[in-house]
Amino acid sequence: MMELVCPAGTPAALRAAVDAGAHTVYCGFADETNARNFPGLNFSRPEMAEGVAYAKARGARVLVAINTFPRAGEQALWHRAVADAHGAGAHAVILADPGLIAHAADTHPDLRLHLSVQAAAANPDAINFYAESFGIRRVVLPRVLTVEEITAINREIDIETEVFVFGGLCVMAEGRCSLSSWATGLSPNMNGVCSPASHVVYDEVAGQNEARLGGLLIHRTPKGAPVPYPTLCKGCFTAPATDTGPAQTGHIFEDPVSLDATELIPRLQRAGVTALKIEGRQRSRAYVAQVVRAFRAAVEAAEAGAPMPAGLLAKLTEGQSATTGAYAKTWR
Amino acid sequence: MLRRLPAPPLSPALAGRALSALLRRIARRNPAILSRLGPHGAARFLIDVTDAPLLLLMEPQAQRMTAHRRSAAPVPGHDAAIRGRLAAFLAMLHGSEDGDALFFSGELAIAGDTSAVLALRNALDDAELDLTAELEALARPPLDVWLRRMMAAAARRSGYVLSREV
């Protein structure tokens, strides 16, 4: 059966994931060493050890995401996170920065290393470089590849591949977002948060809901209408008139939709993919329980050759609509 | 529905005292809530349950909850506000609905300090609270058994999620 890799932003969400049938849960410490550094989220050191024990007792595994890029002079914070994840009994750590990967490989030779999606390794040469240089055992593929490209990659590499099947999409080369950094002065890759909450303001203006990031208006939606996350990449903007056409208002970079690749699971299985990943460490235990239950049923159906269940999770998706993203290349 | 009901038998002051007692009990039994809130524990949260007659002001660090008549002006000073129907708040608290999904669909709206709202949502989600169990624990036998039955009947009749689901 394909492995289901599920998110947990809190110990309660970790337990919900394991109880709902997750084979593996990924989570992070409560600091800027991981890419979901949100207020009130993530794990203390004792919580991580307890979470690992809870998962192990039920036959599940825990991966610790340490997938931001260490700042010069501050590497000790990231080194400590790797050591503490190892000490807590994590099955593996998910890393992106080559320097941190080298440190982990040298200092903790028995620790299993996964290459984060943030490393954006999208071709066999890049993946083989990480595997041969540092002993990386699994790569999380960027959400820019078609199923055919994933098949081609798997033919030329010897390590496992993990792909996203559900949740938020990032239009940048996996988190390397100059838009969010420019608007807030905080980098998704180094501070671990895209559209930091401290820079987001919601307001009701003339009967409409407005969302601003760093003072920039991102959305104006009628009350009661679906609302997306306050990210610039999914903002609704007006492009000025040009010689060739009138001014246009719309989602210039990306529509506010979420990934749902349920229907592609059998093809991903045939493409040689080992593990399916669900995005959403910032979401609640209710989201985790519902999504994990649905995807556990889907991977069991795929294993049995049965048809894929569809359309069960629309309410949980951003924009309340879903796409198969780049996998089928119908994505704008 | 609640708006059409007569004014609550408790005055805002009494309601505030009862809710503060509940808040103190929850904080005592779940110290992780305040540690997850961190500096946001000092924020004042306006809980605007749009189908209830009272506005609630919650101050987690002070372990204080005050109730204010909706008709009374001005709205009490606050750092962050969360607005929505009672059903949405109860479903989120008890793990049957996801807070972001309620936000996407416009069933919950927030204003003010977004970080504080996020920290509160995450801290409460991790606490896995069960309102029925908390109220039951405040009552002495045999009132606790009566209360549990009352809450179960109220949940069936109203459709509200009154105890933990996940």
Side-chain angles (χ1 to χ4, degrees):
Chain A
M1 191 188 309
M2 295 181 91
E3 178 185 331
L4 201 53
V5 183
C6 308
T10 61
L14 180 146
R15 293 191 293 272
V18 171
D19 295 350
H23 300 114
T24 305
V25 180
Y26 67 104
C27 43
F29 290 120
D31 56 34
E32 51 199 324
T33 60
N34 78 91
R36 287 286 183 272
N37 179 25
F38 292 2
L41 207 64
N42 294 318
F43 289 64
S44 66
R45 266 54 179 178
E47 285 172 342
M48 188 64 81
E50 287 163 18
V52 170
Y54 185 91
K56 274 187 179 169
R58 288 153 186 83
R61 294 175 290 230
V62 171
L63 312 177
V64 180
I66 307 169
N67 57 348
T68 47
F69 292 75
R71 289 189 306 282
E74 301 285 342
Q75 300 98 308
L77 179 67
W78 279 260
H79 293 175
R80 205 159 50 241
V82 173
D84 290 344
H86 194 196
H91 177 68
V93 288
I94 309 170
L95 309 176
D97 179 69
L100 187 62
I101 296 170
H103 166 85
D106 289 344
T107 317
H108 308 279
D110 56 333
L111 180 59
R112 185 178 159 100
L113 306 179
H114 290 189
L115 188 65
S116 168
V117 69
Q118 298 255 10
N123 60 66
D125 290 344
I127 295 165
N128 285 331
F129 167 76
Y130 281 104
E132 288 158 15
S133 306
F134 308 115
I136 290 278
R137 307 277 292 278
R138 177 183 294 182
V139 55
V140 186
L141 293 175
R143 287 160 280 192
V144 295
L145 300 165
T146 62
V147 177
E148 290 74 18
E149 287 166 333
I150 292 169
T151 308
I153 285 173
N154 272 328
R155 268 193 227 112
E156 293 185 50
I157 66 172
D158 293 323
I159 65 171
E160 298 170 357
T161 49
E162 177 177 308
V163 302
F164 280 90
V165 284
F166 191 81
L169 282 168
C170 179
V171 77
M172 298 298 159
E174 297 302 353
R176 294 182 188 186
C177 181
S178 301
L179 282 174
S180 184
S181 304
W182 173 71
T184 67
L186 291 173
S187 157
N189 309 98
M190 297 172 85
N191 305 101
V193 62
C194 157
S195 291
S198 52
H199 292 64
V200 174
V201 174
Y202 295 104
D203 213 351
E204 191 184 315
V205 179
Q208 301 211 85
N209 291 321
E210 287 190 356
R212 290 177 187 273
L213 179 69
L216 302 169
L217 178 64
I218 295 180
H219 306 290
R220 184 181 288 139
T221 46
K223 278 178 81 174
V227 182
Y229 278 127
T231 53
L232 278 164
C233 58
K234 289 165 191 166
C236 185
F237 303 107
T238 299
T242 63
D243 295 341
T244 54
Q248 286 188 0
T249 299
H251 297 102
I252 288 175
F253 301 110
E254 185 184 3
D255 290 333
V257 295
S258 293
L259 176 69
D260 184 354
T262 309
E263 67 185 65
L264 298 175
I265 290 175
R267 287 182 59 202
L268 291 166
Q269 193 172 27
R270 287 195 294 277
V273 169
T274 299
L276 303 174
K277 185 167 208 159
I278 295 165
E279 186 273 348
R281 284 193 285 132
Q282 75 284 11
R283 303 292 289 266
S284 68
R285 64 184 203 273
Y287 166 94
V288 169
Q290 290 173 49
V291 177
V292 173
R293 219 176 286 125
F295 274 90
R296 179 63 191 251
V299 293
E300 285 179 2
E303 188 66 13
M308 291 293 99
L312 299 175
L313 301 167
K315 197 182 174 199
L316 289 167
T317 62
E318 184 182 10
Q320 303 196 306
S321 58
T323 169
T324 51
Y327 292 129
K329 274 283 191 266
T330 53
W331 197 30
R332 177 156 64 99
Chain B
M1 180 185 81
L2 294 184
R3 264 206 181 133
R4 278 188 249 116
L5 297 176
L10 287 175
S11 71
L14 274 175
R17 278 210 282 281
L19 288 167
S20 291
L22 181 63
L23 193 64
R24 281 195 299 276
R25 179 191 149 76
I26 289 172
R28 199 172 52 243
R29 286 163 46 94
N30 301 274
I33 294 179
L34 275 176
S35 58
R36 277 195 180 272
L37 275 170
H40 303 296
R44 297 162 302 163
F45 296 90
L46 184 74
I47 314 291
D48 181 355
V49 181
T50 53
D51 46 354
L54 297 174
L55 293 169
L56 303 177
L57 188 72
M58 183 170 69
E59 299 167 87
Q61 201 154 286
Q63 296 181 22
R64 186 165 51 225
M65 186 101 100
T66 51
H68 306 261
R69 287 195 196 286
R70 187 173 289 283
S71 52
V75 172
H78 56 276
D79 303 296
I82 313 170
R83 190 167 292 115
R85 295 173 67 84
L86 181 62
F89 279 104
L90 290 171
M92 181 170 61
L93 188 72
H94 289 126
S96 73
E97 296 261 15
D98 172 64
D100 284 12
L102 291 167
F103 170 79
F104 295 150
S105 64
E107 290 172 68
L108 278 184
I110 63 175
D113 186 341
T114 311
S115 295
V117 174
L118 215 52
L120 180 66
R121 195 278 307 265
N122 292 331
L124 291 180
D125 193 56
D126 185 52
E128 298 175 311
L129 296 178
D130 184 321
L131 218 47
T132 295
E134 297 292 343
L135 288 172
E136 210 180 297
L138 280 175
R140 294 183 182 186
L143 273 181
D144 55 347
V145 178
W146 175 82
L147 196 74
R148 192 186 326 144
R149 287 188 189 141
M150 272 267 299
M151 293 291 275
R156 277 195 305 275
R157 288 180 61 172
S158 65
Y160 292 139
V161 183
L162 295 178
S163 52
R164 185 159 84 85
E165 295 208 337
V166 175

